[in-house]
Amino acid sequence: MKKLLFGLVICFAFFLPTQVFANSDSATNLEQTTLNWTYIDGEWYYLDIKTGDKKTGWVYDQNQWYFLNKNGVMKTGWVYDQEKWYFLDNSGAMKTGWFYYYNEWYFLEHSGAMKTGWVYYMDQWYFLNQDGAMSKGWLKDRNQWYFLTSDGSMKTGWIYSYNNWYYLQNNGAMKTGWLYYNGSWYFLSTSGEMATGWYDVNSIWYYSYASGALATNTTIGGYYVNYNGEWVQRTSDPYYVNGILLINKQHGLPSTYAPGENPEARAAFEQMKSAAKGNGLTLNAFSTYRSYSYQGSLYNRYVSSYGQVAADTFSAKPGYSEHQSGLGFDIGGSNSALWAEDGFAYTAEAKWLANNSHQYGFILRYPEGKQNITGYKFEPWHFRYVGNNLSVSIYNSGLTLEEYLGEY
């Protein structure tokens, strides 16, 4: 009878069909030469053929790992062993890599252990929650926010979520504060939303277009934002920066401000005129001080002739002209037909002024290529008196007055 039972066991034993996965470092006890699978009372066991003892724990067989509980029964599904979770498929074979279970994705390492936290797979980052399920959507990890797409992969760059734009850095972390992207500045709030319209940052107002790009050196609804995007409050009283009177499209003078031509500026011009004469050149200051009312009539005339958009590129509104300060000098040469004309730039007098006026306290106020900063097109005839020390410093810097004073 014993021989018959033993024969039946031998006939019943066979190897389970398996799938190929990576070997595990965590499982032990490789005993497949004297052990075989046996099916008893609806359960699979791994028995020692010589002794008949049931195997427990991990068993490596036919390039697959299996787990047998304390009673020797082969496990399927989730198994918790040595503080780690493993998953065994219906054949009992230990799973590795990605697998889908009850509407959730899980990732099992080469050892078979269920992964939690970040995992890098096929050039993509994924995040697995504490229960092992792959995360999707917004995720907060170590005080940083991340976004995982519908397939679980970590997103970088711009993302539109809940009617707002967000930016995720190369490491996936959500960006806040200022962001420089493709030649434009963007501002992202503390909660990550891209700012549009007017907004306040450290008591400074900025404006961003609907695209999120920061507006710079332009007027938005009558309000001017400078080169840094900061709103500059328009003034109509003398505005000084480091003791220097700044007059431009944002900082003007009241109608009552009427000092006349500045005597010091006139004296400096006469010295410069004499120096130019010694070089065979004739200089004429054909327009210096202008009153508020005169500037108003001049501006209105230009608007009537050229339209306001064009007039604003070369003529100041009343109260916003350097001429009203008595420090602005329009200088021409011997040919009066070229006074206040673009063609003056090619004359010997204009070239001499460009290279020497700073030695007499003057600066070329509206240089070429700086209209986006000064607000006016290139005017080779318009000079501003600032005094010898400052004029030399500004000339050597290659900056406009706004740039030099940090007001642009």
Side-chain angles (χ1 to χ4, degrees):
M1 185 65 178
K2 289 183 179 178
K3 291 182 179 180
L4 176 62
L5 289 174
F6 185 78
L8 288 173
V9 169
I10 295 299
C11 293
F12 229 97
F14 63 92
F15 294 113
L16 291 169
T18 57
Q19 299 173 343
V20 177
F21 288 93
N23 292 343
S24 170
D25 296 327
S26 67
T28 56
N29 304 323
L30 310 182
E31 301 181 25
Q32 55 188 88
T33 57
T34 60
L35 299 172
N36 267 322
W37 291 104
T38 302
Y39 193 67
I40 303 175
D41 296 331
E43 300 288 357
W44 283 102
Y45 298 85
Y46 212 49
L47 300 180
D48 187 314
I49 296 177
K50 293 181 179 180
T51 66
D53 293 338
K54 296 175 182 178
K55 178 68 176 175
T56 62
W58 290 101
V59 168
Y60 189 65
D61 183 65
Q62 293 288 300
N63 297 321
Q64 295 285 359
W65 283 99
Y66 301 84
F67 188 82
L68 306 153
N69 67 15
K70 64 181 181 180
N71 297 319
V73 176
M74 183 192 77
K75 291 286 293 180
T76 61
W78 287 108
V79 168
Y80 190 67
D81 180 55
Q82 296 183 16
E83 299 184 349
K84 291 183 179 181
W85 284 98
Y86 300 82
F87 190 85
L88 308 163
D89 64 20
N90 290 335
S91 71
M94 183 188 75
K95 291 280 291 182
T96 61
W98 288 105
F99 82 101
Y100 194 66
Y101 182 78
Y102 279 92
N103 299 319
E104 298 287 358
W105 282 98
Y106 298 83
F107 187 83
L108 302 165
E109 300 178 284
H110 290 304
S111 66
M114 183 188 77
K115 178 71 175 174
T116 61
W118 290 104
V119 62
Y120 191 66
Y121 180 81
M122 297 290 287
D123 298 324
Q124 294 286 349
W125 282 100
Y126 300 83
F127 189 87
L128 303 154
N129 301 321
Q130 287 299 106
D131 63 359
M134 183 184 73
S135 185
K136 299 176 185 178
W138 286 106
L139 162 75
K140 190 173 185 180
D141 181 54
R142 299 179 185 179
N143 296 319
Q144 295 280 1
W145 282 98
Y146 301 83
F147 189 86
L148 304 159
T149 63
S150 58
D151 66 2
S153 59
M154 184 189 77
K155 179 74 175 172
T156 60
W158 288 106
I159 183 170
Y160 191 68
S161 175
Y162 296 107
N163 298 319
N164 283 298
W165 283 98
Y166 300 83
Y167 187 82
L168 303 161
Q169 302 171 82
N170 290 336
N171 65 357
M174 183 185 75
K175 176 71 175 173
T176 61
W178 289 107
L179 166 71
Y180 190 68
Y181 180 83
N182 279 359
S184 294
W185 283 99
Y186 298 79
F187 186 78
L188 304 153
S189 70
T190 53
S191 55
E193 294 96 343
M194 182 189 76
T196 59
W198 288 104
Y199 52 92
D200 180 355
V201 180
N202 297 327
S203 300
I204 298 174
W205 284 93
Y206 299 86
Y207 183 89
S208 288
Y209 300 111
S211 66
L214 179 70
T216 59
N217 198 29
T218 189
T219 300
I220 305 294
Y223 297 95
Y224 176 73
V225 289
N226 65 16
Y227 199 75
N228 294 321
E230 302 169 349
W231 170 56
V232 177
Q233 188 170 6
R234 185 177 286 239
T235 62
S236 58
D237 290 322
Y239 182 76
Y240 289 89
V241 181
N242 299 328
I244 306 302
L245 179 63
L246 178 62
I247 305 164
N248 56 23
K249 291 189 174 184
Q250 306 311 314
H251 302 296
L253 300 168
S255 59
T256 56
Y257 191 89
E261 184 182 82
N262 184 279
E264 184 179 329
R266 168 54 72 173
F269 170 76
E270 294 300 332
Q271 288 182 337
M272 184 169 64
K273 180 179 179 179
S274 296
K277 186 176 181 180
N279 285 275
L281 302 172
T282 300
L283 297 182
N284 291 286
F286 60 87
S287 180
T288 58
Y289 171 73
R290 298 176 194 162
S291 68
Y292 181 96
S293 60
Y294 179 77
Q295 183 65 33
S297 62
L298 187 64
Y299 175 78
N300 289 334
R301 188 163 71 245
Y302 287 139
V303 170
S304 297
S305 299
Y306 305 103
Q308 183 175 351
V309 173
D312 284 342
T313 65
F314 62 84
S315 181
K317 295 178 180 179
Y320 293 88
S321 170
E322 282 196 324
H323 289 285
Q324 189 180 340
S325 70
L327 298 170
F329 276 55
D330 285 346
I331 303 172
S334 57
N335 184 359
S336 61
L338 292 177
W339 291 357
E341 295 291 336
D342 294 341
F344 176 65
Y346 305 104
T347 66
E349 293 93 340
K351 294 176 182 178
W352 188 91
L353 283 167
N355 293 322
N356 295 279
S357 61
H358 64 283
Q359 299 179 39
Y360 302 92
F362 288 90
I363 60 170
L364 180 62
R365 186 64 180 87
Y366 308 125
E368 191 170 13
K370 297 285 188 172
Q371 182 175 342
N372 63 321
I373 296 173
T374 64
Y376 295 101
K377 70 181 188 67
F378 175 40
E379 293 188 356
W381 61 86
H382 185 102
F383 290 82
R384 160 71 188 272
Y385 182 75
V386 294
N388 285 61
N389 292 335
L390 186 60
S391 63
V392 172
S393 181
I394 293 175
Y395 176 82
N396 290 334
S397 73
L399 302 174
T400 63
L401 184 58
E402 281 84 1
E403 290 173 297
Y404 188 85
L405 298 176
E407 293 282 332
Y408 70 100

